[in-house]
Amino acid sequence: MAIAADAQRVRKEPAPGMVEKRGRNLWLTHALMILGVLVVFFPIWLAFVASTVTQQEIARAPMPLLPGDRFFENYARALFAGVNVPVATMLLNSLVMAVGIAVGKIVISLLSAFAIVYFRFPGRSVFFWLIFLTLMLPVEVRIVPTFEVVAGFGMLNSYSGLIFPLIASATATFLFRQFFLTVPDELAEAARVDGARPMRFFIDILLPMSRTNIAALFVILFIYGWNQYLWPLLITTDPEMNTIVMGIKQMFPSGDDVADWPVIMATSILAMIPPVIVVISMQKLFIRGLVDSEK
Amino acid sequence: MATVDLDDVRKRFGSTEVIHGVSTAIEDGEFIVIVGPSGCGKSTLLRMVAGLESVSQGEIRIDGKRVNEVEPMDRDIAMVFQNYALYPHMSVRQNMGYGLKIAGLPKNAIEEKVQDAARLLQLDQLLDRRPKQLSGGQRQRVAMGRAIVREPSVFLFDEPLSNLDAKLRVQMRVEIKELQAKLGITSLYVTHDQVEAMTMADRMIVMNAGIAEQIGSPLDVYERPDTLFAAQFIGSPSMNILPATLASNSLRIGSIELGKRGLPDGTVHLGIRPEHVVIASDGPLSLTVHLAEPLGANTLLHGKLDESGETFTAAISGVYRVNGPGETIRLAVDDAHVHLFDSDTGRRIV
């Protein structure tokens, strides 16, 4: 949204070299852009339409392209009854997991980057490279041993089981390390002369200076957590602990039963809403942070 | 307020020694400038006093107490950094009060001290601004304010004016010196700028390659430099150094006799400051001028001495119009201003 707004602002004050783009070309680029948006948006629209009609209307060809009159019924049914478990429960599970992963990852990577950049301890670079190395190991590669460990701790079907295995982030550690390296050494020295112990410096100086990075990472990591599919699918056998992204898949009947398409589609639309809210609300903070940013 | 003693202070990074034993006693309320070219170890020495670098050998005492192992915050010092090191996300008020806040002072006491310091530095209108909303000179003042509010016994300045433009530098130089005189706080000031050293110091430490070449008042160093390095580093333009010989009590450059000296025969380095020569038609030196730099108050003449082919700079007071390059002028030297240095050790010969 903001990108579109930015694009418009740029259009109002075109760079000298772009003047000739006005006129016919302007219309052409706009038409192409609108077409692109339509192509991307069409499946979402279909899902929305399907979530507002009856099962019979979906099954009958051709599929309707305009919303029906069952919006409240279908969404209420999805939220409070669902197929296996109410969607509200799954939304809550997903929210806890995504926030837990995002906050946990940010806290841990801030602290480890702080340690790596500001403290001289034996094996400092070894630890950094070990962290860096884990970047090369995606969840899927270590999923079997991780499952063993989590099962051994009795963390199946629990929030801790959903969150902890995904909570360390080499990427975020690396990003914060790079950011901390750009903070002038004199600032740390000034804080030392002012009497700030290391953690005081971290909380009073480094943390406020990193807030734009933290906001940006929160957006990325929240969506990462929200979209986790394989891991929750493995460790949650109890429908009460299902997250929404995997829960949608669980809604498909296994045998010859008929899928309850309006409810499934309503769930899909509901699953999209929290990440969109996070992106839009954090984007404002992110931009404000950029405007305020000083170093 | 305190004395600072350095006792054979040495610094080693790994096996390389960068400071080779500096000793001096700084009196209460004194303004000491450490001056030297970049890489001479002056900042390292200051950071050792601050406690930001460890001391490899020797002892640093503040007010008679050994502080080698004491954390910076417990040394009762305040430091002004080259890049000011202001906390970017804090207002001027928060920046100045941060040290006091950590020390656990009550809010109203902090506010009072910050207000006092702000008035002193004419920052009272800017207390709610962020550092990036300030000009370079104002940032410099905030950095000073942050040091003042803590009422330290020693001020440490690490090239605080090097990021300012020339005009502001002159103004801030005066302000710092006045402030220090008013507060009477012992100060150590590091700079590579010999003008700052000359104008601000009660005493200066001229450093070169990790050695304190000379410690003394600015005029002492100017009038009686101990070493060739100190002679050339202090004074602008720098002192002319010419090879000279002593033979049967006569001091000569080439074949020209410059004066009499009761010294053993041999070769020496002879130093003459550009401002200590005058144009005289019967002068002993003849200079072929290659370039004249008119500065208004005086004129710098750069050229070569005809006798020895050495490059030489003369500062002639007032305006002097050269009749084109290659003009030859004769110069007289005031014998009282001739410095002699040992040609091997570079040390002054009395």
Side-chain angles (χ1 to χ4, degrees), chain A residues 264-275:
Chain A
I264 294 175
M265 286 304 147
T267 311
S268 306
I269 296 292
L270 286 171
M272 268 188 277
I273 293 171

Side-chain angles (χ1 to χ4, degrees), chain A residues 8-160:
Chain A
Q8 253 176 11
R9 217 171 303 141
V10 169
R11 267 258 173 263
K12 271 182 201 156
E13 300 163 3
M18 291 181 64
V19 174
E20 63 273 14
K21 280 234 172 187
R22 287 188 167 275
R24 218 162 53 103
N25 275 345
L26 181 73
W27 288 106
L28 189 69
T29 46
H30 259 99
L32 274 173
M33 206 162 69
I34 290 164
L35 187 73
V37 169
L38 284 180
V39 167
V40 172
F41 189 68
F42 186 64
I44 301 171
W45 176 250
L46 269 193
F48 178 70
V49 169
S51 72
T52 60
V53 296
T54 60
Q55 176 82 356
Q56 289 73 33
E57 283 173 294
I58 295 176
R60 194 173 50 227
M63 225 195 112
L65 287 176
L66 290 173
D69 54 359
R70 307 289 292 265
F71 178 85
F72 290 105
E73 263 175 273
N74 288 342
Y75 277 80
R77 201 147 58 89
L79 270 176
F80 304 114
V83 175
N84 305 311
V85 64
V87 172
T89 311
M90 295 200 290
L91 277 174
L92 179 73
N93 291 343
S94 276
L95 194 70
V96 171
M97 181 185 181
V99 170
I101 288 176
V103 171
K105 270 181 190 274
I106 287 171
V107 169
I108 289 174
S109 40
L110 270 169
L111 286 171
S112 40
F114 179 56
I116 285 168
V117 175
Y118 286 95
F119 293 88
R120 310 261 172 282
F121 53 90
R124 177 163 157 261
S125 58
V126 174
F127 278 109
F128 172 70
W129 284 110
L130 277 177
I131 293 172
F132 199 69
L133 215 67
T134 63
L135 270 178
M136 297 167 202
L137 299 173
V139 177
E140 290 73 15
V141 173
R142 51 193 158 91
I143 205 153
V144 173
T146 313
F147 182 85
E148 275 290 322
V149 172
V150 169
F153 278 115
M155 292 199 297
L156 298 180
N157 287 315
S158 72
Y159 286 134
S160 24

Side-chain angles (χ1 to χ4, degrees), chain B residues 102-116:
Chain B
I102 290 176
L105 256 71
K107 270 212 173 78
N108 49 355
I110 296 177
E111 179 62 24
E112 199 176 309
K113 281 171 191 279
V114 168
Q115 288 287 354
D116 286 348

Side-chain angles (χ1 to χ4, degrees), chain B residues 96-172:
Chain B
M96 286 168 69
Y98 184 60
L100 300 176
K101 190 175 141 199
I102 290 176
L105 256 71
K107 270 212 173 78
N108 49 355
I110 296 177
E111 179 62 24
E112 199 176 309
K113 281 171 191 279
V114 168
Q115 288 287 354
D116 286 348
R119 251 193 310 280
L120 193 65
L121 293 162
Q122 294 146 36
L123 287 169
D124 10 11
Q125 304 301 314
L126 308 172
L127 280 177
D128 293 313
R129 299 238 190 126
R130 296 281 179 87
K132 66 155 188 181
Q133 297 166 311
L134 302 175
S135 67
Q138 288 167 337
R139 282 181 212 185
Q140 184 55 57
R141 278 204 198 87
V142 176
M144 297 272 303
R146 189 167 63 178
I148 290 171
V149 289
R150 303 186 56 218
E151 295 167 12
S153 25
V154 184
F155 271 146
L156 304 173
F157 298 90
D158 189 4
E159 308 214 15
L161 304 184
S162 55
N163 285 354
L164 301 178
D165 63 65
K167 202 176 162 195
L168 205 53
R169 208 177 300 164
V170 175
Q171 185 193 333
M172 288 304 295

